[in-house]
Amino acid sequence: MTLPELSAEIGGIFLGSVQDRWEEKPPSAIQKDRVSGRQAITLTGFLEDAQADLTVHGGEEKAIHNYALDHYAAWQSEGHMAAGAVPAAFGENITTTGLTEENLCISDILTLGTATVQISQGRQPCWKLGLHTGNEKMPYLFQKTGRTGWYYRVLKTGVADAGNRITLTERRNPNWSVLRVTRARLTRRVSREDAEALADLADLTPGWRQAFARMAEGERKEGTRERLVG
């Protein structure tokens, strides 16, 4: 298999702290602000970044969230986002142009500045995304479109700065694009054979592998109201 030539400049790095954003709601670190200069990357992501609920974001399996700046124009043209919205409107850590859920695959290994990272899963949107963007439908729209972005686990620590590059160096599972796997996970419309294969996909996050294992056994119903509505 010929490795695709996929490389993109880091358009920006965005980090945040845990804040009480909404009355009678749990705290959140979805507000990410642009930072300058070299940023240290640890096994749990950028050293100066924080997450409020490690069961859904952060940790070693979901250390860094990358979002395609390419999608912003679509959100705006569809009327779901105000014109001129700035990057990190979705709480992402990194923006890039040219890398998308369609041309990247689960388990892809990339260099990120001097660090080495691996795609572990797509993003599973929650109610905080709706409140943060001011569009309560956004969690559902993320699921419908598959424009969710993706998470990296860190294989080798290092540093990165805006203007550095993210470059694909290894592809282990060319049949499992981020878009295909994320749609299967979020819609639960997946064949038994595919669900079994994804349950055994070693580089997919344990939580998603377990979910696909349940789907393979015929368990297709999943309560999503708490995640999407809060």
Side-chain angles (χ1 to χ4, degrees):
M1 183 192 72
T2 302
L3 185 70
E5 294 184 7
L6 289 175
S7 182
E9 181 179 291
I10 300 173
I13 297 175
F14 306 87
L15 310 179
S17 60
V18 178
Q19 303 175 42
D20 288 312
R21 295 284 308 280
W22 308 289
E23 190 174 349
E24 297 184 354
K25 291 284 189 179
S28 172
I30 195 172
Q31 174 66 47
K32 305 295 185 185
D33 299 308
R34 185 185 293 271
V35 295
S36 59
R38 294 198 305 171
Q39 303 299 317
I41 298 173
T42 73
L43 291 178
T44 54
F46 287 103
L47 180 63
E48 299 300 323
D49 192 38
Q51 298 84 30
D53 184 353
L54 294 177
T55 64
V56 292
H57 301 289
E60 292 189 2
E61 290 296 307
K62 292 168 283 187
I64 296 171
H65 182 237
N66 192 161
Y67 199 78
L69 195 60
D70 317 57
H71 296 330
Y72 273 67
W75 290 121
Q76 292 168 17
S77 67
E78 293 163 1
H80 301 307
M81 174 180 281
V86 297
F90 301 115
E92 62 266 31
N93 294 121
I94 293 174
T95 56
T96 51
T97 301
L99 303 179
T100 70
E101 297 83 358
E102 292 185 74
N103 61 26
L104 291 173
C105 297
I106 297 298
S107 81
D108 278 358
I109 295 175
L110 307 94
T111 55
L112 169 54
T114 66
T116 302
V117 297
Q118 182 180 44
I119 297 178
S120 58
Q121 69 165 71
R123 180 173 175 179
Q124 198 167 7
C126 72
W127 58 268
K128 294 177 184 178
L129 183 65
L131 290 179
H132 181 63
T133 60
N135 182 345
E136 63 181 12
K137 295 181 180 179
M138 192 58 76
Y140 299 93
L141 293 169
F142 255 48
Q143 295 196 164
K144 180 180 178 181
T145 62
R147 300 194 295 249
T148 67
W150 53 93
Y151 285 108
Y152 296 120
R153 63 169 63 90
V154 178
L155 302 182
K156 182 174 81 71
T157 61
V159 295
D161 193 357
N164 290 167
R165 299 199 70 79
I166 301 178
T167 302
L168 178 67
T169 60
E170 183 179 344
R171 172 156 290 174
R172 299 179 177 178
N173 295 293
N175 294 325
W176 294 115
S177 71
V178 174
L179 181 62
R180 182 184 180 191
V181 176
T182 302
R183 278 184 170 164
R185 174 67 187 94
L186 298 182
T187 67
R188 299 177 295 286
R189 292 194 291 268
V190 57
S191 69
R192 179 175 179 178
E193 292 75 17
D194 283 353
E196 288 176 343
L198 288 166
D200 291 333
L201 192 63
D203 295 324
L204 190 61
T205 55
W208 278 30
R209 290 176 61 195
Q210 292 162 12
F212 283 118
R214 292 192 295 271
M215 293 180 207
E217 294 171 355
E219 186 180 329
R220 299 303 175 103
K221 291 184 178 180
E222 183 178 63
T224 60
R225 179 175 175 79
E226 183 177 351
R227 172 170 62 84
L228 295 173
V229 179

